[in-house]
């Protein structure tokens, strides 16, 4: 009988100690653990699978596939293409990100109008196919190094514009991208926000989008991500594939250069 | 017919580990759409895993399982080159069956 209260006391002590020990690991660690558990079964793979089929499928008024689409590494080369985007394209005389380039390919090769995307809704109709193609293409650069070529004057110009846009404060809340993403240790709710002005932060952010979002079961492209950043700042939402979105991508990608591509990513 | 699953299976030391990613809405029947109408329930009810003719796993799923569910399990036996077949049935009577070769 004597040992019983002892045992009980030990059990109570253990029960009190346990939450204290748990509190030592920060919330960020908990989220990191959650992400690691999810990463094994990233549903973005389902988008990748669908996207690979769509890439090879004949579609649009011209009944052509995207297999001749030049993403910057020559017609039809997908491997490693997104790790080097955005880039300057001579044929369109524009700096393009993955999605604006895909719009060009769809228009020229397949005859699919950009209006399907510019006026389209996320996850619906042609936009859903765009998201699947994006998942496939970015998956083909997984584990490669981010390698954006900044040598052309057009890219330098876009970088300068992107940097300006990043720090540009406006809207009813007088926010800029830099309000949340310009310092270390900022967070939204419980999630740490990357400092996109530094290499580590930019590599973590740029390197892990596009991504699947577990909370809403949707796959978000970079254009969708940027659009929502602006919505959250209460800015007017930018036009799909517009220059400001590409400029911001150039700014992030250049800062992230040398980091690892982890796309398609997974977010809570 | 449902959307394709992504199945991976790997054998080591006489144990095969199977990882399945299913493509399914898994709608609970509790949610409402933007106009306030109830979204009808649509979820997987039964799942079956076979190695050859032998059933190695049977599971009952319900509305509490997430969208695009991921399932991982191990069974004794299985060798490289053999097949694992996964199939599911949902509450609307839809079904899907996919197979993978053990690597």
């Amino acid at each position: 009988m004597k040992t019983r209260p002892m045992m009980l006391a030990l059990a109570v002590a253990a029960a009190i100690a346990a939450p204290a020990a748990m509190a030592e690991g920060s919330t960020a660690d908990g989220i990191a653990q959650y992400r690691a558990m999810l990463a094994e079964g990233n549903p973005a793979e389902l988008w990748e699978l669908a996207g690979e089929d769509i890439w090879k499928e004949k579609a649009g008024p011209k009944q052509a596939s995207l297999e001749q689409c030049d993403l910057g590494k020559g017609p039809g080369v997908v491997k490693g293409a997104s790790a080097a985007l955005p880039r300057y394209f001579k044929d369109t005389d524009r700096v393009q990100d993955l999605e604006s380039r895909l719009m060009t390919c769809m228009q020229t090769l397949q005859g699919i109008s950009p209006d399907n995307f510019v006026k389209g809704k996320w996850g619906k109709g042609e936009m859903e196919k765009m998201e699947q193609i994006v998942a496939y293409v970015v998956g083909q650069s997984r584990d490669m190094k981010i390698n954006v070529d900044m040598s052309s004057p057009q890219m330098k110009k876009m970088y300068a514009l992107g940097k300006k846009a990043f720090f540009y404060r406006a809207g009813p809340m007088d926010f800029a991208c830099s309000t949340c993403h310009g310092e270390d240790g900022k967070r939204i709710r419980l999630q740490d926000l990357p400092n996109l002005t530094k290499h580590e932060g930019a590599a973590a952010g740029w390197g892990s989008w596009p991504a699947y979002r577990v909370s809403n079961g949707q796959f978000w492209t970079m254009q969708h991500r940027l659009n929502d950043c602006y919505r959250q700042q209460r800015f007017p939402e930018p036009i799909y594939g517009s220059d400001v979105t590409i400029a911001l991508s150039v700014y992030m990608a250049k800062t992230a250069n040398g980091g690892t591509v982890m796309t398609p990513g997974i977010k809570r | 017919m449902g959307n394709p699953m992504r199945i991976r299976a790997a054998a080591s030391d006489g144990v095969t580990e199977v990882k399945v990613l299913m493509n399914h809405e898994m709608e609970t029947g509790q949610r409402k759409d933007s106009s306030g109408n109830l979204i009808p329930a649509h979820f997987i009810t039964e799942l079956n895993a076979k190695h050859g003719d032998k059933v190695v796993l049977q599971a009952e799923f319900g509305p509490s399982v997430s969208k695009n569910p991921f399932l991982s399990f191990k069974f004794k036996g299985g060798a490289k080159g053999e097949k694992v077949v996964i199939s599911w049935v949902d509450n609307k009577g839809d079904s899907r069956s996919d197979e993978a070769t053990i690597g």
Side-chain angles (χ1 to χ4, degrees):
Chain A
M1 286 299 279
K2 266 241 152 145
T3 54
R4 258 207 175 174
M6 264 291 275
M7 293 275 284
L8 205 71
L10 272 172
V12 169
I16 293 166
M22 266 165 69
E24 273 172 29
S26 74
T27 314
D29 289 345
I31 291 174
Q33 206 181 351
Y34 172 77
R35 281 211 189 106
M37 281 162 73
L38 289 169
E40 207 170 34
N42 187 348
E45 280 186 29
L46 301 171
W47 272 256
E48 283 187 72
L49 281 178
E52 188 172 3
D53 290 340
I54 296 170
W55 179 264
K56 294 169 185 163
E57 223 168 66
K58 288 191 171 76
K62 294 188 185 172
Q63 280 302 300
S65 78
L66 285 168
E67 285 166 304
Q68 286 305 305
C69 179
D70 183 0
L71 296 172
K73 301 225 172 241
V77 182
V78 181
K79 197 94 200 155
S82 80
L85 284 170
R87 72 191 298 152
Y88 171 69
F89 288 90
K90 271 199 184 128
D91 56 352
T92 51
D93 191 26
R94 269 185 81 194
V95 171
Q96 293 183 296
D97 67 347
L98 175 58
E99 288 161 77
S100 56
R101 188 61 190 172
L102 284 170
M103 275 205 287
T104 302
C105 283
M106 287 175 186
Q107 189 177 20
T108 54
L109 297 173
Q110 301 180 309
I112 297 171
S113 161
D115 276 359
N116 285 298
F117 309 102
V118 174
K119 293 178 183 160
K121 284 204 165 113
W122 306 113
K124 299 258 167 25
E126 289 294 331
M127 194 66 117
E128 185 183 21
K129 291 184 193 163
M130 171 68 91
E131 288 160 1
Q132 289 164 332
I133 295 166
V134 166
Y136 163 62
V137 174
V138 300
Q140 295 295 308
S141 289
R142 194 188 276 117
D143 297 331
M144 292 184 180
K145 292 269 174 265
I146 300 165
N147 181 21
V148 179
D149 178 9
M150 294 301 298
S151 58
S152 70
Q154 290 87 350
M155 282 293 276
K156 287 184 180 118
K157 199 176 149 196
M158 278 307 243
Y159 174 82
L161 178 64
K163 193 170 184 178
K164 200 169 173 185
F166 187 84
F167 289 97
Y168 183 76
R169 275 167 55 172
M173 302 201 295
D174 198 24
F175 259 43
C177 304
S178 59
T179 313
C180 298
H181 290 289
E183 277 174 58
D184 290 340
K186 290 260 182 186
R187 60 182 171 80
I188 183 166
R189 296 181 294 272
L190 283 172
Q191 288 174 89
D192 293 330
L193 294 170
N195 179 355
L196 298 174
T197 62
K198 285 189 184 166
H199 171 74
E200 294 75 27
W206 176 256
S208 62
W209 285 95
Y212 178 82
R213 299 195 69 173
V214 178
S215 52
N216 56 16
Q218 295 168 353
F219 179 81
W220 280 26
T221 65
M222 199 46 154
Q223 283 286 333
H224 195 169
R225 175 64 274 173
L226 289 173
N227 186 283
D228 200 60
C229 286
Y230 274 120
R231 185 195 61 80
Q232 286 172 311
Q233 293 180 66
R234 311 293 184 267
F235 267 66
E237 291 167 39
I239 294 166
Y240 188 82
S242 57
D243 274 350
V244 71
T245 60
I246 298 168
L248 280 168
S249 291
V250 172
Y251 174 68
M252 283 189 283
K254 194 233 169 195
T255 317
N257 247 349
T260 307
V261 179
M262 299 170 281
T263 55
I266 187 160
K267 307 281 174 180
R268 63 165 284 283
Chain B
M1 199 168 74
N3 296 311
M5 286 175 247
R6 176 101 163 79
I7 308 170
R8 273 169 291 193
S12 77
D13 299 329
V15 175
T16 302
E17 184 170 21
V18 185
K19 291 172 182 172
V20 192
L21 184 61
M22 287 155 261
N23 192 343
H24 202 283
E25 276 305 312
M26 299 301 286
E27 196 60 59
T28 62
Q30 307 283 322
R31 300 200 304 159
K32 286 174 181 169
D33 64 16
S34 49
S35 44
N37 302 315
L38 218 53
I39 305 170
H42 187 203
F43 54 84
I44 295 172
T45 51
E46 276 170 55
L47 180 130
N48 207 308
K50 271 180 158 179
H51 169 232
D53 290 332
K54 192 185 167 199
V55 175
V56 289
L57 180 93
Q58 258 185 323
E60 286 181 7
F61 276 29
S64 64
V65 176
S66 82
K67 180 177 180 168
N68 299 328
F70 175 71
L71 173 74
S72 171
F73 64 94
K74 290 174 185 173
F75 67 88
K76 270 187 189 161
K80 276 191 177 58
E82 293 178 352
K83 291 214 177 345
V84 173
V85 181
I86 313 279
S87 46
W88 55 251
V89 179
D90 70 21
N91 67 329
K92 288 186 178 174
D94 197 3
S95 65
R96 175 85 203 181
S97 186
D98 286 291
E99 63 173 36
T101 308
I102 301 172

